[in-house]
Amino acid sequence: MNGLVDKLFEASTAGGNSSLTWDEFVALHALVERVREAQAGKSIHAQVAGHNNPAALLAWFREHGGTLNEKLSVEEIPGFGKGIKTSQHLAEDEGLVEVPEKLMMTQITAAKSALAPLIDKDDLLQRMPSVLLSMHLLFEAHNKSSFWGPYISELPATHSTPAYWQPADIALLRGTTILNETLASFKVLCRQYAYLHRRLRAVPKLLSADKFTFDDFRWAVATVMSRQNQIPVGGTDEAPVFSLALIPVWDLFNHRPGKMTTFHDCAVRRTRCTAMAPFRAGEQVFSHYGQRSMGDMLLYMGCLTPAHVLINIGLARADRLFEFKAKTLARLQMRHNDDFEVGNGSVEPALFVFARVATATNEELEAFAALDDAALRAEFSKVPSASADPPAPGALVTLDARAYQFLFMRFRLLTTQPPPALETATNAFQRLALGYRHAEHSALLSCLATPHVQVGKS
């Protein structure tokens, strides 16, 4: 087993970064399957999680100071897994749940747990709070007398994030803007697992490496990534100290876009959540997790909800003016390879700024370089408004004409290949993949159709 994991470490660290070609991903996935096969029967997450005893969870929750509105109940909801429903009308801003910090799993509780000796000596756990919280959860899952046992038992035993998909499922994301991130996140997962497996071999009294399986680690990471929240745990109002946290019962509210109604009260060290909108009797009660793209929802939560789409656009490295353009973008606090929000028939103003820099000539770049930072920002603040009439093609100055043409060509390229029909999906993962492709394609088409982008057609 150690030899297989060492091969996984070598394969997932090759190249010195997180990028993967498709063939490299397929080979890495095959190696992971060999590891999983060798570890068959040793994973514990399916035994300790996925129970259906919300009464025990709520009894533990209330015993230790948590409060849940008496109108609310934990139920299995088709298409969502566990969720919260209300038996009576809920008014907007009505209190839903309060969770004291002592019920939460945080970086602080991790530092006081059996994991502490490893944290003290490991740079990865110190630098990456999400990995630390994942290992904390996994250690507690192995602890039969864990304080968080009632909470862990009600966590899902599996997830629908792309980390669980087969290559045939992920292949359906080819042509989307999130494929590269999906492959990179899988490589990172493999690298972290193999690294931590090697570390545990040196300290077997903490957790035997033989008991540290890929499936258990994947489950813990997916659980944390889909449920983690950030809470202030110290510092000052001007410089607060934050910790990632798993917040029992609060994390049973499923996400829907709306207003943010979850806040942490540092004075009493409790997280409070109120209703973001009125809910009728019998309805599922949702909470707003924050602004997240549809790609993030799929990659880290394994679900699709109405949200904006992010596309990644970068400067061509073969461009002889690459460095000059990258420096100009940096002065505008933008990266040479950046994400931009699209959808609802609108184009993010920052994308037009990027397009102007990307299509600038050497003379134009030199003129920008001669400006101080304030003047440069003022020059690039002149971006088209979605509500304003687009200029006539003949009225465009040369740089703006090239920027419009850049946007038109980029959106046309991204929409050239229509996605397969949803009916061609053969499993739930493929339905998610194709659902995302259709949503992204629709968002890009809506941008291509906007009058401002259509100007670049001529």
mmCIF file of all heavy atoms in Angstrom, residues 404-432:
data_model
loop_
_atom_site.group_PDB
_atom_site.id
_atom_site.type_symbol
_atom_site.label_atom_id
_atom_site.label_comp_id
_atom_site.label_asym_id
_atom_site.label_seq_id
_atom_site.Cartn_x
_atom_site.Cartn_y
_atom_site.Cartn_z
ATOM 1 N N TYR A 404 -14.262 45.700 -28.447
ATOM 2 C CA TYR A 404 -15.555 45.109 -28.765
ATOM 3 C C TYR A 404 -15.388 43.876 -29.648
ATOM 4 O O TYR A 404 -16.073 42.859 -29.471
ATOM 5 C CB TYR A 404 -16.457 46.130 -29.460
ATOM 6 C CG TYR A 404 -17.116 47.121 -28.517
ATOM 7 C CD1 TYR A 404 -16.763 48.465 -28.532
ATOM 8 C CD2 TYR A 404 -18.098 46.702 -27.625
ATOM 9 C CE1 TYR A 404 -17.370 49.375 -27.678
ATOM 10 C CE2 TYR A 404 -18.716 47.604 -26.769
ATOM 11 C CZ TYR A 404 -18.351 48.938 -26.793
ATOM 12 O OH TYR A 404 -18.954 49.829 -25.950
ATOM 13 N N GLN A 405 -14.472 43.962 -30.605
ATOM 14 C CA GLN A 405 -14.223 42.814 -31.472
ATOM 15 C C GLN A 405 -13.659 41.638 -30.675
ATOM 16 O O GLN A 405 -14.014 40.477 -30.910
ATOM 17 C CB GLN A 405 -13.264 43.211 -32.598
ATOM 18 C CG GLN A 405 -13.878 44.154 -33.620
ATOM 19 C CD GLN A 405 -12.826 44.858 -34.473
ATOM 20 O OE1 GLN A 405 -11.625 44.632 -34.310
ATOM 21 N NE2 GLN A 405 -13.275 45.719 -35.383
ATOM 22 N N PHE A 406 -12.782 41.931 -29.716
ATOM 23 C CA PHE A 406 -12.212 40.902 -28.843
ATOM 24 C C PHE A 406 -13.322 40.169 -28.096
ATOM 25 O O PHE A 406 -13.354 38.933 -28.033
ATOM 26 C CB PHE A 406 -11.236 41.556 -27.865
ATOM 27 C CG PHE A 406 -10.664 40.626 -26.825
ATOM 28 C CD1 PHE A 406 -9.490 39.932 -27.057
ATOM 29 C CD2 PHE A 406 -11.296 40.464 -25.586
ATOM 30 C CE1 PHE A 406 -8.956 39.090 -26.086
ATOM 31 C CE2 PHE A 406 -10.784 39.623 -24.622
ATOM 32 C CZ PHE A 406 -9.599 38.937 -24.874
ATOM 33 N N LEU A 407 -14.244 40.928 -27.517
ATOM 34 C CA LEU A 407 -15.332 40.318 -26.747
ATOM 35 C C LEU A 407 -16.247 39.496 -27.651
ATOM 36 O O LEU A 407 -16.650 38.379 -27.285
ATOM 37 C CB LEU A 407 -16.137 41.394 -26.020
ATOM 38 C CG LEU A 407 -15.403 42.133 -24.892
ATOM 39 C CD1 LEU A 407 -16.293 43.210 -24.302
ATOM 40 C CD2 LEU A 407 -14.966 41.155 -23.805
ATOM 41 N N PHE A 408 -16.581 40.051 -28.807
ATOM 42 C CA PHE A 408 -17.464 39.317 -29.711
ATOM 43 C C PHE A 408 -16.833 37.991 -30.130
ATOM 44 O O PHE A 408 -17.485 36.933 -30.082
ATOM 45 C CB PHE A 408 -17.777 40.154 -30.963
ATOM 46 C CG PHE A 408 -18.610 39.420 -31.969
ATOM 47 C CD1 PHE A 408 -19.981 39.322 -31.813
ATOM 48 C CD2 PHE A 408 -18.014 38.791 -33.066
ATOM 49 C CE1 PHE A 408 -20.752 38.604 -32.727
ATOM 50 C CE2 PHE A 408 -18.771 38.081 -33.975
ATOM 51 C CZ PHE A 408 -20.146 37.990 -33.811
ATOM 52 N N MET A 409 -15.560 38.014 -30.509
ATOM 53 C CA MET A 409 -14.898 36.797 -30.956
ATOM 54 C C MET A 409 -14.767 35.790 -29.812
ATOM 55 O O MET A 409 -14.931 34.577 -30.024
ATOM 56 C CB MET A 409 -13.520 37.127 -31.533
ATOM 57 C CG MET A 409 -13.563 37.972 -32.799
ATOM 58 S SD MET A 409 -14.476 37.157 -34.139
ATOM 59 C CE MET A 409 -13.411 35.754 -34.456
ATOM 60 N N ARG A 410 -14.489 36.284 -28.598
ATOM 61 C CA ARG A 410 -14.327 35.365 -27.473
ATOM 62 C C ARG A 410 -15.656 34.682 -27.125
ATOM 63 O O ARG A 410 -15.707 33.457 -26.934
ATOM 64 C CB ARG A 410 -13.774 36.117 -26.258
ATOM 65 C CG ARG A 410 -13.409 35.219 -25.082
ATOM 66 C CD ARG A 410 -12.434 34.124 -25.484
ATOM 67 N NE ARG A 410 -11.187 34.648 -25.989
ATOM 68 C CZ ARG A 410 -10.078 34.753 -25.279
ATOM 69 N NH1 ARG A 410 -10.074 34.346 -24.028
ATOM 70 N NH2 ARG A 410 -8.985 35.231 -25.815
ATOM 71 N N PHE A 411 -16.734 35.458 -27.064
ATOM 72 C CA PHE A 411 -18.030 34.854 -26.742
ATOM 73 C C PHE A 411 -18.510 33.938 -27.865
ATOM 74 O O PHE A 411 -19.115 32.897 -27.605
ATOM 75 C CB PHE A 411 -19.078 35.937 -26.457
ATOM 76 C CG PHE A 411 -18.952 36.554 -25.089
ATOM 77 C CD1 PHE A 411 -18.718 37.905 -24.936
ATOM 78 C CD2 PHE A 411 -19.073 35.775 -23.959
ATOM 79 C CE1 PHE A 411 -18.603 38.465 -23.683
ATOM 80 C CE2 PHE A 411 -18.961 36.321 -22.685
ATOM 81 C CZ PHE A 411 -18.723 37.683 -22.553
ATOM 82 N N ARG A 412 -18.231 34.304 -29.098
ATOM 83 C CA ARG A 412 -18.643 33.435 -30.203
ATOM 84 C C ARG A 412 -17.882 32.119 -30.151
ATOM 85 O O ARG A 412 -18.448 31.047 -30.381
ATOM 86 C CB ARG A 412 -18.415 34.129 -31.547
ATOM 87 C CG ARG A 412 -19.040 33.344 -32.717
ATOM 88 C CD ARG A 412 -18.989 34.092 -34.009
ATOM 89 N NE ARG A 412 -17.621 34.224 -34.510
ATOM 90 C CZ ARG A 412 -17.316 34.713 -35.708
ATOM 91 N NH1 ARG A 412 -18.284 35.162 -36.496
ATOM 92 N NH2 ARG A 412 -16.061 34.801 -36.103
ATOM 93 N N LEU A 413 -16.582 32.188 -29.829
ATOM 94 C CA LEU A 413 -15.778 30.975 -29.724
ATOM 95 C C LEU A 413 -16.298 30.070 -28.609
ATOM 96 O O LEU A 413 -16.380 28.849 -28.770
ATOM 97 C CB LEU A 413 -14.310 31.343 -29.468
ATOM 98 C CG LEU A 413 -13.331 30.182 -29.280
ATOM 99 C CD1 LEU A 413 -13.224 29.382 -30.574
ATOM 100 C CD2 LEU A 413 -11.958 30.719 -28.880
ATOM 101 N N LEU A 414 -16.664 30.668 -27.467
ATOM 102 C CA LEU A 414 -17.127 29.897 -26.316
ATOM 103 C C LEU A 414 -18.494 29.267 -26.536
ATOM 104 O O LEU A 414 -18.886 28.350 -25.791
ATOM 105 C CB LEU A 414 -17.162 30.783 -25.069
ATOM 106 C CG LEU A 414 -15.801 31.199 -24.494
ATOM 107 C CD1 LEU A 414 -15.971 32.254 -23.413
ATOM 108 C CD2 LEU A 414 -15.055 29.983 -23.933
ATOM 109 N N THR A 415 -19.238 29.763 -27.523
ATOM 110 C CA THR A 415 -20.583 29.234 -27.759
ATOM 111 C C THR A 415 -20.688 28.444 -29.063
ATOM 112 O O THR A 415 -21.786 28.099 -29.477
ATOM 113 C CB THR A 415 -21.617 30.381 -27.779
ATOM 114 O OG1 THR A 415 -21.203 31.377 -28.748
ATOM 115 C CG2 THR A 415 -21.730 31.042 -26.423
ATOM 116 N N THR A 416 -19.563 28.163 -29.684
ATOM 117 C CA THR A 416 -19.587 27.465 -30.973
ATOM 118 C C THR A 416 -20.181 26.069 -30.857
ATOM 119 O O THR A 416 -20.960 25.635 -31.707
ATOM 120 C CB THR A 416 -18.161 27.377 -31.555
ATOM 121 O OG1 THR A 416 -17.661 28.691 -31.754
ATOM 122 C CG2 THR A 416 -18.160 26.628 -32.882
ATOM 123 N N GLN A 417 -19.811 25.352 -29.795
ATOM 124 C CA GLN A 417 -20.235 23.954 -29.638
ATOM 125 C C GLN A 417 -21.395 23.858 -28.662
ATOM 126 O O GLN A 417 -21.218 24.040 -27.455
ATOM 127 C CB GLN A 417 -19.062 23.105 -29.137
ATOM 128 C CG GLN A 417 -19.353 21.625 -29.057
ATOM 129 C CD GLN A 417 -19.559 21.002 -30.426
ATOM 130 O OE1 GLN A 417 -18.853 21.321 -31.378
ATOM 131 N NE2 GLN A 417 -20.533 20.114 -30.534
ATOM 132 N N PRO A 418 -22.610 23.586 -29.115
ATOM 133 C CA PRO A 418 -23.740 23.452 -28.182
ATOM 134 C C PRO A 418 -23.588 22.194 -27.339
ATOM 135 O O PRO A 418 -23.012 21.195 -27.792
ATOM 136 C CB PRO A 418 -24.957 23.358 -29.108
ATOM 137 C CG PRO A 418 -24.411 22.845 -30.396
ATOM 138 C CD PRO A 418 -23.026 23.401 -30.513
ATOM 139 N N PRO A 419 -24.087 22.196 -26.108
ATOM 140 C CA PRO A 419 -23.951 21.019 -25.245
ATOM 141 C C PRO A 419 -24.877 19.894 -25.681
ATOM 142 O O PRO A 419 -25.905 20.131 -26.330
ATOM 143 C CB PRO A 419 -24.354 21.554 -23.864
ATOM 144 C CG PRO A 419 -25.258 22.701 -24.151
ATOM 145 C CD PRO A 419 -24.743 23.318 -25.425
ATOM 146 N N PRO A 420 -24.537 18.657 -25.328
ATOM 147 C CA PRO A 420 -25.438 17.532 -25.633
ATOM 148 C C PRO A 420 -26.775 17.700 -24.910
ATOM 149 O O PRO A 420 -26.871 18.411 -23.910
ATOM 150 C CB PRO A 420 -24.670 16.314 -25.096
ATOM 151 C CG PRO A 420 -23.248 16.759 -24.980
ATOM 152 C CD PRO A 420 -23.297 18.215 -24.668
ATOM 153 N N ALA A 421 -27.780 17.018 -25.392
ATOM 154 C CA ALA A 421 -29.101 17.081 -24.765
ATOM 155 C C ALA A 421 -29.049 16.502 -23.357
ATOM 156 O O ALA A 421 -28.307 15.545 -23.086
ATOM 157 C CB ALA A 421 -30.115 16.313 -25.611
ATOM 158 N N LEU A 422 -29.826 17.082 -22.456
ATOM 159 C CA LEU A 422 -29.867 16.610 -21.066
ATOM 160 C C LEU A 422 -30.285 15.144 -20.995
ATOM 161 O O LEU A 422 -29.873 14.422 -20.080
ATOM 162 C CB LEU A 422 -30.827 17.474 -20.255
ATOM 163 C CG LEU A 422 -30.405 18.931 -20.019
ATOM 164 C CD1 LEU A 422 -31.561 19.730 -19.422
ATOM 165 C CD2 LEU A 422 -29.191 18.992 -19.102
ATOM 166 N N GLU A 423 -31.096 14.719 -21.960
ATOM 167 C CA GLU A 423 -31.607 13.346 -21.944
ATOM 168 C C GLU A 423 -30.518 12.304 -22.198
ATOM 169 O O GLU A 423 -30.742 11.104 -21.977
ATOM 170 C CB GLU A 423 -32.705 13.189 -23.005
ATOM 171 C CG GLU A 423 -33.972 13.979 -22.729
ATOM 172 C CD GLU A 423 -33.820 15.462 -22.972
ATOM 173 O OE1 GLU A 423 -32.863 15.863 -23.691
ATOM 174 O OE2 GLU A 423 -34.645 16.235 -22.448
ATOM 175 N N THR A 424 -29.330 12.741 -22.634
ATOM 176 C CA THR A 424 -28.259 11.780 -22.905
ATOM 177 C C THR A 424 -27.511 11.361 -21.643
ATOM 178 O O THR A 424 -26.690 10.443 -21.688
ATOM 179 C CB THR A 424 -27.245 12.370 -23.905
ATOM 180 O OG1 THR A 424 -26.654 13.550 -23.346
ATOM 181 C CG2 THR A 424 -27.937 12.719 -25.223
ATOM 182 N N ALA A 425 -27.785 12.017 -20.519
ATOM 183 C CA ALA A 425 -27.111 11.663 -19.264
ATOM 184 C C ALA A 425 -27.531 10.269 -18.818
ATOM 185 O O ALA A 425 -28.702 9.889 -18.920
ATOM 186 C CB ALA A 425 -27.451 12.679 -18.177
ATOM 187 N N THR A 426 -26.571 9.498 -18.309
ATOM 188 C CA THR A 426 -26.862 8.127 -17.878
ATOM 189 C C THR A 426 -26.802 7.954 -16.366
ATOM 190 O O THR A 426 -27.065 6.866 -15.859
ATOM 191 C CB THR A 426 -25.873 7.142 -18.531
ATOM 192 O OG1 THR A 426 -24.528 7.476 -18.142
ATOM 193 C CG2 THR A 426 -26.000 7.178 -20.052
ATOM 194 N N ASN A 427 -26.434 8.992 -15.631
ATOM 195 C CA ASN A 427 -26.420 8.915 -14.165
ATOM 196 C C ASN A 427 -26.567 10.316 -13.590
ATOM 197 O O ASN A 427 -26.591 11.311 -14.328
ATOM 198 C CB ASN A 427 -25.143 8.225 -13.655
ATOM 199 C CG ASN A 427 -23.881 8.956 -14.088
ATOM 200 O OD1 ASN A 427 -23.758 10.160 -13.935
ATOM 201 N ND2 ASN A 427 -22.916 8.205 -14.625
ATOM 202 N N ALA A 428 -26.662 10.405 -12.264
ATOM 203 C CA ALA A 428 -26.892 11.691 -11.606
ATOM 204 C C ALA A 428 -25.731 12.659 -11.821
ATOM 205 O O ALA A 428 -25.944 13.868 -11.960
ATOM 206 C CB ALA A 428 -27.123 11.476 -10.108
ATOM 207 N N PHE A 429 -24.495 12.130 -11.825
ATOM 208 C CA PHE A 429 -23.340 13.002 -12.036
ATOM 209 C C PHE A 429 -23.384 13.624 -13.434
ATOM 210 O O PHE A 429 -23.071 14.813 -13.606
ATOM 211 C CB PHE A 429 -22.040 12.222 -11.850
ATOM 212 C CG PHE A 429 -21.829 11.687 -10.451
ATOM 213 C CD1 PHE A 429 -21.018 10.578 -10.233
ATOM 214 C CD2 PHE A 429 -22.428 12.282 -9.357
ATOM 215 C CE1 PHE A 429 -20.813 10.085 -8.955
ATOM 216 C CE2 PHE A 429 -22.235 11.796 -8.064
ATOM 217 C CZ PHE A 429 -21.429 10.692 -7.878
ATOM 218 N N GLN A 430 -23.742 12.823 -14.423
ATOM 219 C CA GLN A 430 -23.809 13.347 -15.784
ATOM 220 C C GLN A 430 -24.942 14.366 -15.927
ATOM 221 O O GLN A 430 -24.816 15.326 -16.690
ATOM 222 C CB GLN A 430 -23.970 12.200 -16.777
ATOM 223 C CG GLN A 430 -22.726 11.319 -16.870
ATOM 224 C CD GLN A 430 -22.784 10.322 -18.006
ATOM 225 O OE1 GLN A 430 -23.671 10.375 -18.854
ATOM 226 N NE2 GLN A 430 -21.820 9.412 -18.042
ATOM 227 N N ARG A 431 -26.020 14.169 -15.186
ATOM 228 C CA ARG A 431 -27.092 15.177 -15.210
ATOM 229 C C ARG A 431 -26.602 16.504 -14.649
ATOM 230 O O ARG A 431 -26.967 17.579 -15.137
ATOM 231 C CB ARG A 431 -28.311 14.669 -14.449
ATOM 232 C CG ARG A 431 -29.106 13.614 -15.217
ATOM 233 C CD ARG A 431 -30.445 13.331 -14.562
ATOM 234 N NE ARG A 431 -30.305 12.594 -13.317
ATOM 235 C CZ ARG A 431 -30.207 11.278 -13.234
ATOM 236 N NH1 ARG A 431 -30.247 10.536 -14.333
ATOM 237 N NH2 ARG A 431 -30.107 10.675 -12.062
ATOM 238 N N LEU A 432 -25.771 16.447 -13.613
ATOM 239 C CA LEU A 432 -25.184 17.677 -13.072
ATOM 240 C C LEU A 432 -24.256 18.330 -14.088
ATOM 241 O O LEU A 432 -24.298 19.545 -14.294
ATOM 242 C CB LEU A 432 -24.409 17.363 -11.788
ATOM 243 C CG LEU A 432 -25.218 17.181 -10.507
ATOM 244 C CD1 LEU A 432 -24.320 16.685 -9.380
ATOM 245 C CD2 LEU A 432 -25.886 18.494 -10.086
#
